[in-house]
Amino acid sequence: MRVNDEPVTALRGVLPAWRDFEPGMSDGRDIQQLEESLASLDYFWSTPDEHFDWNTATAIASWQRDLGMPWRTTLERGRIAFLSGDARVHQRLVSMGEPAAEASLEITGTDLHVTAELDAKEQQLLRVGENVDVKLPNGTSQAGIVETVGTAVEREDSSGKKTTKIPVQLGLKDSAQAADFANVTVRVSVNRTVAEQVLSVPIKALLAQPGGSFAVDVLQDDTVQRVPVEVGKFADGRVEITAGELAEGDVVAVAE
């Protein structure tokens, strides 16, 4: 951007630009950071250090001259912004002609992510590392992967109704192909085979037994027989039966 018709330039660095750069200034790591950035642009030819000297002044003046500014060996605060990595302008906070502000741009990283919220009962649908398909507004699809699954948070809709949601972040395997679709709504789908040929019963049919084991009550004519079982995975209100004397077609009692 430009302020007072002179450029404000982003350079590499982790320290903020917190003072003027000028001859006679005290030594500091910010000077070395500036020299390293100017060296990467082929304006500083000595070894970067924490001291402002003739090499620093010459590099600043040459660089500013090539930006269309007057030859000067000082660099006032606000003329550069140090960024630790590549950035993308997310939003302009001021418009042309408005007074310059401390925060003129809102920036983000350049990696694109997809955020989604699952109902609490759907938490097991997406796991970290799982592959997903992300459909973009232009009809194309991109391969994605689940990066994080957050903890439950409470949301309130416009009617005041509260629901529990699970935030999920997805990464795109080729984010460059989706560069034109930041801040848009996408559709996420995942194909999973939970299990095949599984014997299962409602969770409410389980009866806790001594020692941490489980059983179910099987209804046979007018009698009830308690049958020990071993359980596997839980999903959608049901539980997998991995061992025991329960058979397909048995009628089990379910607690109210």
Side-chain angles (χ1 to χ4, degrees), residues 31-37 39 44-51:
I31 297 175
Q32 181 170 344
Q33 181 174 267
L34 173 63
E35 292 176 351
E36 289 172 346
S37 285
F44 189 82
W45 300 285
S46 185
T47 302
D49 57 22
E50 297 184 1
H51 180 65

Side-chain angles (χ1 to χ4, degrees), residues 118-132:
L118 301 176
D119 290 335
K121 64 181 180 180
E122 299 174 334
Q123 184 172 1
Q124 297 301 317
L125 291 179
L126 295 178
R127 297 184 177 90
V128 174
E130 188 160 17
N131 294 321
V132 298

Side-chain angles (χ1 to χ4, degrees), residues 46-141:
S46 185
T47 302
D49 57 22
E50 297 184 1
H51 180 65
F52 191 110
D53 58 14
W54 178 85
N55 292 312
T56 316
T58 302
I60 289 175
S62 299
W63 174 63
Q64 291 190 108
R65 177 197 59 196
D66 289 348
L67 289 177
M69 299 167 62
W71 176 279
R72 54 190 179 213
T73 59
T74 61
L75 189 59
E76 64 183 353
R77 181 189 174 201
R79 193 53 57 194
I80 59 174
F82 285 115
L83 302 179
S84 59
D86 290 345
R88 170 184 169 275
V89 176
H90 174 65
Q91 182 180 6
R92 293 186 303 173
L93 303 179
V94 292
S95 299
M96 185 183 299
E98 294 182 348
E102 285 294 323
S104 299
L105 299 174
E106 181 180 330
I107 63 174
T108 67
T110 56
D111 292 334
L112 292 178
H113 299 275
V114 177
T115 57
E117 288 189 339
L118 301 176
D119 290 335
K121 64 181 180 180
E122 299 174 334
Q123 184 172 1
Q124 297 301 317
L125 291 179
L126 295 178
R127 297 184 177 90
V128 174
E130 188 160 17
N131 294 321
V132 298
D133 183 72
V134 179
K135 189 170 184 179
L136 302 175
N138 65 353
T140 63
S141 295

Side-chain angles (χ1 to χ4, degrees), residues 136-155:
L136 302 175
N138 65 353
T140 63
S141 295
Q142 291 289 321
I145 189 169
V146 179
E147 295 180 332
T148 62
V149 178
T151 56
V153 295
E154 192 173 69
R155 302 293 193 206

